[in-house]
Amino acid sequence: MQVLHDLLKLVLHPLSNSARDGYNIKCGDEVVRRCYFRVAGWLADHMENSTIHGIYTTRCTICESAQDRLGNLQKYPLRDAQQYWEWVNKSDTESLHMRGVKYIRNALWTLRDVIPWELVRSDILHTILLGNLQHLLDWIKEFLESHDRLNAFDSIWSSMAPYPGNYVLRKSYQLLSQVSGKEMRSILMVILGVFTASLRRKTNAVRPPAGQEQDFRKAITCVRYLTDFALLSRYRSHTDSTIGYMEQYLQQFHKTKDVFLRYRAGKVAKAKADMVSKELNVETTARKYEEKANGHTACQKARALAEDREECVYLVNQALVEDSHFNFPKIYLLMHWSDQISQYGSLLQFSTEICKALHKALKEAYCRSNHIDSIPQIIQGYSRAHNIAVKELEIEAWAVEIPDIKKRVKGVLRPKRTNNVLIIKEGTRMFMTLRGKQSIKEIYNIVHIAEAFMIPDLARHMKHFLEWNACQAGVDQQSDAERILLHAMVEAYNSLEIPVPDQDVDADNTYKVQHLRITGRKGWRGGEPRRDTVWVHVGAMRLCPASAGRRSKCYRGRVVGYLNALFTLLGTNRESFKLAHVTFLDWVGNPTPHGTEGMSRVEAYTGGGGQSIVWLSAIEGAVHLIPLEPERNWIVNNRVDYHVWNEMNDG
């Protein structure tokens, strides 16, 4: 350890001199300026920070927190490097040990105008995504196993519909072993809804007793506030309100985290619990022989057996809880995040996700090597890929200036993934786009659309919609609608691109494009047919009679529905109507997010129904539904992205 810090001192000592004397540096505008360098931050995981700062891995690198108090929100004095330097010079190892400091001459303590604990930056990747969230997933799994709900959770997890912009995990939840940061970001968006649905599902599940129902509510609350804290920590800009919310969510998490305490048991606690269980089994067996000798009735035996089981569960739980704790550094580091945001701004700028992303090219080069003499091959492969990328950029630049080059290099350049982020000037109107036009040889009238997209009542729905929303007042609306349908040509599509505000970036007038898809009878990528769920702004639009009965229940004028078909209707009098066919879902109770989980629910209309034609412009974006009861009831996941979360919350 001392050798490492001697090397760091050798590297960082010139920076310490430059902080005092400075260097003359020629800048990009050809002006020579006097520059003074300082060490401003050190991006690293907690384990690496502990090594760099000479702190025990079981202690906080920012403050002098006690090792057995890391699971609380108690604040401690910040670390004092000057005091530690004096103790090292005096060989006062006892004082250093009490503060969790290693007996070494730390290179950071000798830097000019640098306070070592201020170099520590909050790392979202390892502290939240691969740290506390990974712990949370382990607790959830054991909690579900102990309450016989793991199969329900896995069923809901596997049946989740895709959502634009959110990575879909193909594996079953029980088969997840090692999860990347990208996958953890996707899990963060859905874990609360899936966990809530698995505990609330009534199909093929025993009704929980009162005590178990209380544990369910407490567990949902705990998961909610930790995930909400993590979501807020990824904001690209903050206000005093968002920082206050983070502190509030962290306090609520610590108040309810004891519901998972027994799942923090170590080897000693588990061995003790096993011993208690074995002793109780021996006592139970001896009692059975006693009861048989004394001639107890079957009712008495059943009552005694139930009491024994209850006692066994209680004592085993006590044994697990007695030696369990939440005293690990990464859960305590969250307490410093609000202070760091107030001082330095968004935490995303310090996340090691950026550094990990830069490793991708080197990892790919290693995979292409022979894994024996890999280092020269990695350098050669990475350099070749970099040079090719530079040449492609040059060719693309030439193609803009010289049109003939574009035709000659067509098919030579590698296809690139299109960027779904749009930056629009203020005041510019945004338009949605229909994609995937169907062949007019196969679909050219209403009957063909009804067959291709499995909508038998499409003609009737079209007639009602045109009478009430498209035909002119003061004329025979019924005859006018029939005329349009009789002579109209149709064009069908299977995709709709909708720009929605992108609140994942810190820029105004930035939108991301959501691709909504409907395949009709055809399967999606070799699987089942796909039809996405969407927000529909009803407004003053009149719907079909089967859908209009419950129209009064809306969330800010919006309802949720399944997208059944996308098409345009071309009339003989140059009328053009862009339309969609939707199966509406009805809100269950209050449409505003509510309850322990802070989410809303929708259900299918009884007896089918709920279908209607709507204007294409009424569709406002995608909705992520998590199945609560199969094909009957869904939870509206309002945490699937920041735009939905900010638009749909319980305050």
Side-chain angles (χ1 to χ4, degrees):
M1 180 67 73
Q2 186 60 58
V3 174
L4 172 64
H5 280 271
D6 290 342
L7 293 173
L8 283 176
K9 185 176 180 180
L10 183 65
V11 173
L12 298 176
H13 186 68
L15 290 179
S16 183
N17 293 335
S18 70
R20 179 190 61 191
D21 304 326
Y23 289 105
N24 291 329
I25 295 181
K26 190 175 183 179
C27 302
D29 56 359
E30 302 296 328
V31 177
V32 177
R33 293 182 174 88
R34 192 74 173 175
C35 299
Y36 299 85
F37 296 96
R38 287 185 56 188
V39 179
W42 199 294
L43 307 185
D45 183 18
H46 170 71
M47 301 297 290
E48 297 167 357
N49 270 324
S50 298
T51 302
I52 298 300
H53 291 268
I55 308 297
Y56 294 153
T57 57
T58 56
R59 306 293 284 270
C60 177
T61 53
I62 298 177
C63 68
E64 298 177 344
S65 59
Q67 183 176 345
D68 57 348
R69 293 291 184 270
L70 294 176
N72 301 324
L73 287 176
Q74 183 177 352
K75 289 191 175 182
Y76 290 87
L78 299 174
R79 295 198 172 275
D80 187 352
Q82 185 176 358
Q83 180 65 63
Y84 300 158
W85 183 256
E86 293 177 2
W87 287 340
V88 168
N89 290 331
K90 294 178 182 179
S91 299
D92 190 354
T93 56
E94 184 177 351
S95 297
L96 291 171
H97 178 73
M98 289 179 60
R99 303 304 192 280
V101 182
K102 298 176 182 178
Y103 179 64
I104 55 174
R105 296 186 179 275
N106 197 308
L108 300 181
W109 299 345
T110 62
L111 296 180
R112 186 183 304 274
D113 299 330
V114 171
I115 302 175
W117 66 264
E118 289 185 348
L119 301 181
V120 180
R121 294 292 185 269
S122 303
D123 179 20
I124 292 179
L125 177 62
H126 293 97
T127 306
I128 276 287
L129 298 179
L130 301 181
N132 288 294
L133 187 57
Q134 182 64 63
H135 285 301
L136 181 65
L137 294 180
D138 295 337
W139 304 339
I140 286 175
K141 185 175 182 180
E142 294 190 38
F143 182 88
L144 294 170
E145 282 180 342
S146 63
H147 292 90
D148 219 8
R149 296 276 177 161
L150 187 57
N151 289 333
F153 185 95
D154 199 49
S155 174
I156 296 168
W157 181 276
S158 303
S159 60
M160 270 194 306
Y163 183 83
N166 196 32
Y167 179 76
V168 179
L169 293 172
R170 301 297 179 186
K171 287 185 178 180
S172 164
Y173 179 77
Q174 299 186 45
L175 298 179
L176 291 178
S177 54
Q178 188 174 2
V179 185
S180 66
K182 177 182 177 181
E183 292 170 336
M184 275 297 184
R185 288 197 300 270
S186 298
I187 291 174
L188 178 63
M189 303 295 184
V190 301
I191 186 63
L192 175 60
V194 179
F195 183 62
T196 301
S198 64
L199 298 183
R200 300 295 190 209
R201 175 170 282 193
K202 299 178 182 178
T203 303
N204 300 326
V206 180
R207 182 177 180 180
Q212 194 178 72
E213 182 66 31
Q214 185 177 358
D215 287 344
F216 285 1
R217 288 196 296 270
K218 197 171 183 180
I220 292 172
T221 303
C222 181
V223 173
R224 172 187 177 177
Y225 284 113
L226 182 59
T227 54
D228 285 359
F229 177 89
L231 288 171
L232 272 178
S233 69
R234 294 183 59 82
Y235 269 26
R236 294 185 178 272
S237 61
H238 286 272
T239 63
D240 292 339
S241 298
T242 59
I243 296 173
Y245 286 142
M246 287 183 66
E247 294 175 346
Q248 176 186 342
Y249 293 162
L250 190 60
Q251 290 174 1
Q252 292 297 327
F253 163 70
H254 278 278
K255 286 181 181 179
T256 56
K257 70 180 186 298
D258 60 309
V259 71
F260 294 120
L261 182 59
R262 61 171 295 180
Y263 311 114
R264 285 285 303 165
K267 294 180 179 179
V268 176
K270 290 180 179 179
K272 185 177 178 181
D274 290 340
M275 184 64 67
V276 170
S277 179
K278 290 177 181 178
E279 291 176 356
L280 290 174
N281 287 336
V282 172
E283 293 179 7
T284 302
T285 304
R287 191 176 302 167
K288 285 181 180 179
Y289 286 114
E290 236 178 81
E291 291 171 351
K292 187 175 181 181
N294 295 333
H296 286 190
T297 63
C299 184
Q300 290 174 328
K301 292 179 182 179
R303 190 182 301 113
L305 181 62
E307 292 175 356
D308 291 340
R309 287 177 178 172
E310 187 177 348
E311 182 184 9
C312 180
V313 170
Y314 174 77
L315 293 177
V316 168
N317 187 62
Q318 287 296 110
L320 290 172
V321 170
E322 185 176 352
D323 297 322
S324 302
H325 57 80
F326 290 96
N327 297 322
F328 57 97
K330 288 187 178 181
I331 200 172
Y332 184 80
L333 286 171
L334 302 180
M335 190 186 70
H336 296 293
W337 282 24
S338 58
D339 295 333
Q340 293 214 348
I341 291 173
S342 300
Q343 189 171 0
Y344 304 114
S346 173
L347 300 180
L348 287 176
Q349 60 186 326
F350 306 119
S351 179
T352 55
E353 292 176 272
I354 303 171
C355 308
K356 295 290 184 181
L358 297 176
H359 297 165
K360 183 178 179 181
L362 298 176
K363 291 179 179 178
E364 291 176 350
Y366 174 77
C367 293
R368 291 192 294 267
S369 71
N370 60 8
H371 299 180
I372 299 174
D373 189 18
S374 60
I375 294 180
Q377 297 177 46
I378 290 173
I379 296 174
Q380 184 180 4
Y382 177 77
S383 300
R384 184 188 298 116
H386 177 73
N387 292 334
I388 291 174
V390 171
K391 291 296 182 184
E392 287 182 339
L393 291 175
E394 291 177 353
I395 294 173
E396 289 176 0
W398 295 339
V400 173
E401 298 176 359
I402 309 173
D404 293 341
I405 294 181
K406 189 174 183 180
K407 297 178 182 179
R408 293 169 59 184
V409 300
K410 186 177 181 181
V412 177
L413 299 179
R414 292 177 296 177
K416 296 183 178 179
R417 182 176 296 179
T418 57
N419 189 2
N420 290 330
V421 177
L422 303 175
I423 301 177
I424 307 299
K425 294 182 180 180
E426 188 173 358
T428 304
R429 293 186 62 186
M430 298 295 300
F431 297 94
M432 57 184 68
T433 308
L434 288 166
R435 299 289 187 186
K437 183 179 178 181
Q438 302 291 319
S439 173
I440 59 174
K441 295 180 180 179
E442 299 177 1
I443 301 176
Y444 54 85
N445 59 32
I446 297 296
V447 176
H448 294 156
I449 292 182
E451 293 177 354
F453 293 96
M454 300 177 290
I455 313 173
D457 296 331
L458 180 61
R460 180 168 58 86
H461 296 162
M462 280 292 305
K463 181 180 176 183
H464 286 305
F465 180 82
L466 293 174
E467 289 176 1
W468 295 338
N469 299 277
C471 297
Q472 297 180 0
V475 299
D476 189 350
Q477 295 178 340
Q478 182 175 356
S479 300
D480 198 14
E482 291 175 351
R483 176 189 59 79
I484 294 175
L485 290 176
L486 181 62
H487 301 287
M489 294 288 293
V490 298
E491 295 176 349
Y493 301 84
N494 57 24
S495 178
L496 177 64
E497 295 181 356
I498 299 182
V500 297
D502 187 5
Q503 297 178 355
D504 294 341
V505 297
D506 188 18
D508 296 331
N509 302 320
T510 304
Y511 295 81
K512 60 182 177 182
V513 179
Q514 291 185 342
H515 298 267
L516 306 178
R517 293 179 172 88
I518 170 66
T519 61
R521 294 182 180 275
K522 299 178 181 179
W524 170 253
R525 294 182 177 177
E528 296 293 326
R530 174 172 171 176
R531 54 175 187 157
D532 288 348
T533 47
V534 294
W535 289 109
V536 180
H537 193 278
V538 179
M541 186 168 45
R542 294 186 63 184
L543 305 178
C544 296
S547 306
R550 303 186 185 181
R551 236 192 72 187
S552 58
K553 193 181 290 186
C554 298
Y555 179 76
R556 297 180 181 176
R558 304 184 185 100
V559 291
V560 178
Y562 275 99
L563 192 61
N564 298 325
L566 298 166
F567 56 95
T568 58
L569 194 67
L570 306 175
T572 55
N573 295 336
R574 295 185 179 181
E575 305 106 331
S576 179
F577 308 102
K578 293 184 177 181
L579 306 172
H581 190 275
V582 178
T583 300
F584 290 115
L585 301 175
D586 191 27
W587 294 101
V588 179
N590 188 357
T592 303
H594 59 280
T596 309
E597 66 279 5
M599 294 182 176
S600 306
R601 301 181 189 179
V602 292
E603 64 181 359
Y605 274 62
T606 56
Q611 296 185 347
S612 180
I613 300 290
V614 299
W615 295 115
L616 192 68
S617 58
I619 298 176
E620 294 189 344
V623 181
H624 190 236
L625 299 183
I626 296 175
L628 181 59
E629 304 295 343
E631 302 299 328
R632 298 198 318 268
N633 205 298
W634 296 266
I635 291 177
V636 180
N637 183 16
N638 58 346
R639 287 160 173 81
V640 70
D641 65 25
Y642 287 112
H643 172 64
V644 177
W645 194 27
N646 291 333
E647 288 288 324
M648 189 178 188
N649 58 74
D650 58 352

